[in-house]
Amino acid sequence: MDVWNDDMEAKQPVEITCLACGQEGTPTKATNYCVECESPYCETCLKTHSRFPSMRTHTVLNETDRNKWNAKMSNKITSMCSIHTGKPVDMFCKDHDQVACSACIAVYHRSCCSVKYVPNISTGTREGKEYRDVIHSLKSFLDSLTKSKSSRHAVLCQKQLDHEAMVKQIDYHKDCLLQHINVLAEKSKATLRLQLSKTQKDIGHEIGKIESLIAEQSAVLKKLINDANEAQLFIEMKKTKFRQKHIISSSVDILKPPIVSFSVCFVDANLLSCSAIAKIQTSKVAKTGLVNKINVKMRTDRSVPDIVGILTMNSGNILVLDNSNKKLKLLDYMFNLTHDLLLTDYVTGLTGISDTKVAVSVKNLKKIHIIEVSPVLTIKESFSTEQVCHGICFDSQNDDLYVCCGGNTFNENTPGRVTVFSTKGVMKREMPINHGKTLSSTPVNVTFSYKSKCLYVCDKGYGIIALSADGRTLWAFTELAEPWGLYLLPDEELLICGPSSKKVLRLIHNGKHVEIIQTYDDVIHTPSSLFYDQKSSRLFIGQYDNNILQYPLTFVD
């Protein structure tokens, strides 16, 4: 469906319609114009108008005087205030970039410094940059909607093909089993059909919403291009900008490509006790909203912050680890910077120890600082790691502090390993990182799973590595270059990122399935740290920037 044609750019003659007929919902071409009423009328409504004695003396211009009444209408404002009945929207508040009626100005904008009368400032609106920007924004939004609709049609076609392929798999498996499994096979296909039906219904509903938005936005765009009344055009432009913010905010999920995953898991054992021969599985899908930028640049900073660690405390405070400025920074629950602690050397790892204490690794000093978090940040204890140290994590059940040590760094080249310390600095054990290879390794981040007792390591050479409690490599994911940011979600799912990736990935099923966390913007450029606050369902992303990014992130079926 084409929602835009370049021919629409051309300014088309505007037909003026009868005011009275338009109010009745039956637009009719106007053939006369009453100067006193400042209104156009058709022949029928003009007769009604002339029945009133007080109106018989009004000056009426017919079509032979069309140039005169076209001129009188060129600056007539027809938009009325939705709050104050009968009041035209003829004022503009520059302070708030909003149009309003005179009553709204008096009530809601009385302290504003720059309020203008629309007819006095609307000349040249069509030639202005703001008008062109609104037109461009509408075109881009319509194009995105069209592409989103097409992608959903493609998904429906692909899912239909997937459905047919899965049915064949089920039939083949059924034929290899005993005859009594036929009934169970039909149950499995029915479940699959229900899942396909649900997908068709859900995506069909989304396509309907997209079509509605396309029609609405096309009408707004056409009106903006074809309206000759520049005062009214100015008003509609401002109202459109205001509406666009709400529409785009509420359409974030529609503009993303749909993600639907089917898979089949066959059941061969204990068939007589099973209700089906195949399980139809779907993965939860990650959904994000609009980004919130949180400033972490302080007046005393000498360079752009490089945020390599983020942690939210039970108190609501947020800690960010700034590598380029060698600082640990404290933000309150309103995201205001309240304190910072200069650590004299580059910092690379941050983890919580208790409700009031955290551990920070100081790279080249080869030290771990235990820091108390109160109204101010204070170093309480320190111990040496004897090797360059990077990312850290803490197992509170066993008082195990896992520290990424060594590797191929600027200052030294030693075998990479994860060293386990107590919070008092006593070394308990070492876990070499070799992934079965002889290449040097540089572990840069680590996280521990209480559920599986597995250790997940970000390594610049080997990617994401899953290690068992005794140090055996369970699996590895190598498709992300130089990973750095790492966060463990429930159900053993991982969020990962790297400074060169410009995106956040979600690893599912031991790294066998990868999902890109889709965002509506392009503000992620050098992501190096991640933290997911499960209480608020918010994802925090740190990078080389004056701001950290905060996204609402939920996981839905």
Side-chain angles (χ1 to χ4, degrees):
M1 172 184 173
D2 292 330
V3 298
W4 179 256
N5 189 309
D6 289 338
D7 293 339
M8 291 173 66
E9 281 282 15
K11 185 177 177 180
Q12 301 173 2
V14 179
E15 183 179 88
I16 299 175
T17 57
C18 172
L19 177 65
C21 291
Q23 291 174 343
E24 295 295 326
T26 56
T28 307
K29 181 181 177 181
T31 55
N32 300 274
Y33 181 80
C34 176
V35 176
E36 283 76 10
C37 295
E38 297 183 346
S39 300
Y41 295 110
C42 65
E43 291 293 343
T44 302
C45 291
L46 181 64
K47 291 178 182 179
T48 303
H49 166 275
S50 301
R51 288 177 185 173
F52 299 92
S54 61
M55 295 183 177
R56 290 172 187 168
T57 58
H58 285 191
T59 302
V60 177
L61 304 176
N62 58 30
E63 285 198 286
T64 59
D65 299 313
R66 192 174 185 87
N67 289 338
K68 293 181 180 179
W69 54 284
N70 279 352
K72 289 183 177 292
M73 288 197 63
S74 63
N75 266 344
K76 180 178 173 58
I77 294 174
T78 58
S79 288
M80 295 295 168
C81 181
S82 60
I83 300 174
H84 303 101
T85 305
K87 289 282 187 180
V89 180
D90 56 0
M91 305 299 291
F92 170 62
C93 173
K94 188 175 181 180
D95 294 359
H96 292 92
D97 197 29
Q98 290 181 349
V99 289
C101 73
S102 57
C104 284
I105 293 294
V107 175
Y108 305 113
H109 301 268
R110 59 181 178 271
S111 61
C112 296
C113 298
S114 182
V115 177
K116 305 291 183 182
Y117 181 50
V118 168
N120 292 343
I121 61 171
S122 59
T123 303
T125 296
R126 188 178 297 277
E127 289 74 31
K129 181 180 181 300
E130 187 176 10
Y131 172 77
R132 293 194 300 272
D133 289 344
V134 171
I135 294 297
H136 176 74
S137 175
L138 276 171
K139 287 182 182 180
S140 299
F141 186 49
L142 286 167
D143 184 56
S144 298
L145 288 171
T146 302
K147 290 178 180 178
S148 185
K149 177 184 175 183
S150 298
S151 68
R152 277 162 172 74
H153 279 302
V155 166
L156 282 178
C157 292
Q158 183 59 49
K159 289 306 127 184
Q160 183 65 46
L161 294 175
D162 292 344
H163 169 260
E164 293 169 0
M166 290 178 191
V167 168
K168 290 180 180 179
Q169 292 178 28
I170 292 172
D171 285 337
Y172 175 80
H173 199 70
K174 174 199 66 177
D175 292 340
C176 297
L177 302 174
L178 298 175
Q179 185 175 3
H180 72 273
I181 300 177
N182 286 334
V183 175
L184 301 181
E186 293 302 321
K187 288 184 179 180
S188 296
K189 287 190 283 185
T191 303
L192 188 61
R193 286 193 297 270
L194 285 175
Q195 185 62 50
L196 176 64
S197 176
K198 182 179 182 298
T199 301
Q200 290 172 326
K201 181 179 178 181
D202 292 344
I203 295 183
H205 177 67
E206 291 179 348
I207 290 174
K209 291 171 66 177
I210 292 172
E211 289 177 337
S212 176
L213 279 172
I214 289 174
E216 176 188 337
Q217 298 300 299
S218 296
V220 172
L221 181 59
K222 186 173 181 180
K223 183 175 181 182
L224 282 175
I225 289 178
N226 295 331
D227 198 335
N229 181 342
E230 290 203 335
Q232 182 62 30
L233 182 65
F234 182 91
I235 293 166
E236 291 299 328
M237 178 183 69
K238 292 295 181 180
K239 292 168 70 175
T240 298
K241 280 181 62 180
F242 184 78
R243 287 196 300 265
Q244 282 298 100
K245 291 180 182 179
H246 171 72
I247 292 173
I248 291 176
S249 175
S250 60
S251 305
V252 169
D253 287 336
I254 287 180
L255 295 174
K256 298 176 187 174
I259 303 174
V260 181
S261 175
F262 289 174
S263 61
V264 174
C265 178
F266 291 103
V267 179
D268 293 327
N270 302 319
L271 288 173
L272 293 177
S273 63
C274 294
S275 59
I277 65 169
K279 294 179 180 178
I280 310 304
Q281 298 176 332
T282 58
S283 297
K284 288 188 175 181
V285 176
K287 288 195 173 185
T288 61
L290 295 179
V291 66
N292 176 34
K293 296 182 179 180
I294 302 171
N295 176 56
V296 292
K297 172 80 170 177
M298 305 187 80
R299 288 197 300 269
T300 56
D301 290 348
R302 295 186 176 182
S303 63
V304 176
D306 180 18
I307 305 303
V308 295
I310 303 174
L311 180 67
T312 63
M313 308 293 286
N314 289 335
S315 62
N317 292 334
I318 299 174
L319 290 168
V320 293
L321 196 61
D322 183 350
N323 183 47
S324 58
N325 290 295
K326 306 173 184 177
K327 290 180 178 180
L328 179 64
K329 299 177 179 178
L330 178 64
L331 292 79
D332 63 20
Y333 72 98
M334 294 293 289
F335 308 134
N336 298 309
L337 285 160
T338 60
H339 193 251
D340 67 317
L341 179 64
L342 184 63
L343 295 168
T344 69
D345 193 40
Y346 294 111
V347 288
T348 49
L350 171 67
T351 189
I353 299 295
S354 67
D355 288 343
T356 58
K357 289 184 180 180
V358 298
V360 171
S361 58
V362 187
K363 181 180 176 181
N364 297 319
L365 291 183
K366 305 175 184 179
K367 280 190 175 182
I368 302 296
H369 290 316
I370 307 299
I371 299 173
E372 185 175 66
V373 181
S374 56
V376 296
L377 303 170
T378 308
I379 297 177
K380 290 297 183 181
E381 300 175 65
S382 300
F383 63 85
S384 173
T385 60
E386 297 185 0
Q387 286 184 306
V388 168
C389 51
H390 299 284
I392 53 179
C393 71
F394 184 60
D395 172 10
S396 60
Q397 294 178 357
N398 299 296
D399 190 41
D400 284 345
L401 187 63
Y402 293 88
V403 183
C404 294
C405 293
N408 186 8
T409 66
F410 179 76
N411 293 327
E412 60 181 57
N413 188 0
T414 57
R417 64 188 66 245
V418 175
T419 306
V420 185
F421 296 90
S422 71
T423 52
K424 298 298 181 181
V426 177
M427 190 180 76
K428 296 184 175 182
R429 60 188 182 278
E430 290 184 325
M431 303 172 67
I433 309 296
N434 53 40
H435 190 34
K437 303 177 183 178
T438 58
L439 297 174
S440 63
S441 169
T442 308
V444 294
N445 211 342
V446 62
T447 188
F448 175 77
S449 169
Y450 290 102
K451 181 178 180 180
S452 65
K453 305 302 179 185
C454 289
L455 202 65
Y456 299 97
V457 180
C458 263
D459 189 277
K460 292 179 69 175
Y462 301 144
I464 309 299
I465 305 171
L467 301 174
S468 64
D470 57 2
R472 290 181 297 107
T473 299
L474 302 176
W475 57 267
F477 177 81
T478 60
E479 296 177 23
L480 181 66
E482 295 191 351
W484 198 282
L486 179 68
Y487 188 85
L488 181 65
L489 295 168
D491 302 324
E492 298 296 303
E493 297 179 355
L494 291 170
L495 293 177
I496 61 172
C497 67
S500 62
S501 67
K502 297 185 179 180
K503 58 191 174 185
V504 176
L505 301 181
R506 174 180 168 221
L507 297 188
I508 309 170
H509 303 147
N510 295 337
K512 295 178 182 178
H513 179 70
V514 184
E515 177 190 357
I516 298 176
I517 302 297
Q518 298 286 347
T519 58
Y520 184 67
D521 43 59
D522 56 355
V523 295
I524 301 176
H525 49 83
T526 54
S528 54
S529 58
L530 300 166
F531 187 86
Y532 182 64
D533 186 352
Q534 297 183 39
K535 292 181 180 178
S536 62
S537 299
R538 300 279 170 170
L539 173 64
F540 294 86
I541 302 174
Q543 55 186 354
Y544 185 73
D545 194 273
N546 289 338
N547 303 292
I548 60 174
L549 309 177
Q550 181 200 53
Y551 287 94
L553 176 63
T554 55
F555 300 93
V556 297
D557 292 320

